[in-house]
Amino acid sequence: MVIYRFLSGDDDSSFCHKVTKALSEGWLLYGEPHYVFDAVAGKMRCGQAVTRDVADQAYDPDKKLTDYV
């Protein structure tokens, strides 16, 4: 099964660390990063989709995606 996550946050180093951590845990980049201007907060926001192949397991919507192995 392939699981999907969309990481998002402010356009700063903490977002880069979030993506780097996901990559170090076996997640793969999926598509291009996205950037939008949040007019209310007055700052740029960014997002990156990541996917990971996991062993044959039934999908459980109550399970955290990071708990799939």
Side-chain angles (χ1 to χ4, degrees):
M1 172 172 65
V2 176
I3 54 177
Y4 170 94
R5 291 172 62 195
F6 186 78
L7 307 173
S8 62
D10 292 343
D11 185 17
D12 59 18
S13 65
S14 66
F15 177 75
C16 295
H17 285 282
K18 185 186 296 190
V19 173
T20 300
K21 182 176 187 292
L23 295 174
S24 74
E25 294 171 344
W27 294 85
L28 301 173
L29 297 177
Y30 182 83
E32 299 293 324
H34 296 277
Y35 298 94
V36 314
F37 180 70
D38 180 342
V40 173
K43 59 175 84 173
M44 293 298 292
R45 306 273 188 197
C46 48
Q48 174 66 56
V50 293
T51 62
R52 185 169 73 183
D53 287 319
V54 296
D56 292 329
Q57 300 174 48
Y59 174 69
D60 178 355
D62 296 323
K63 187 174 184 177
K64 287 182 167 183
L65 295 175
T66 54
D67 289 341
Y68 283 96
V69 291

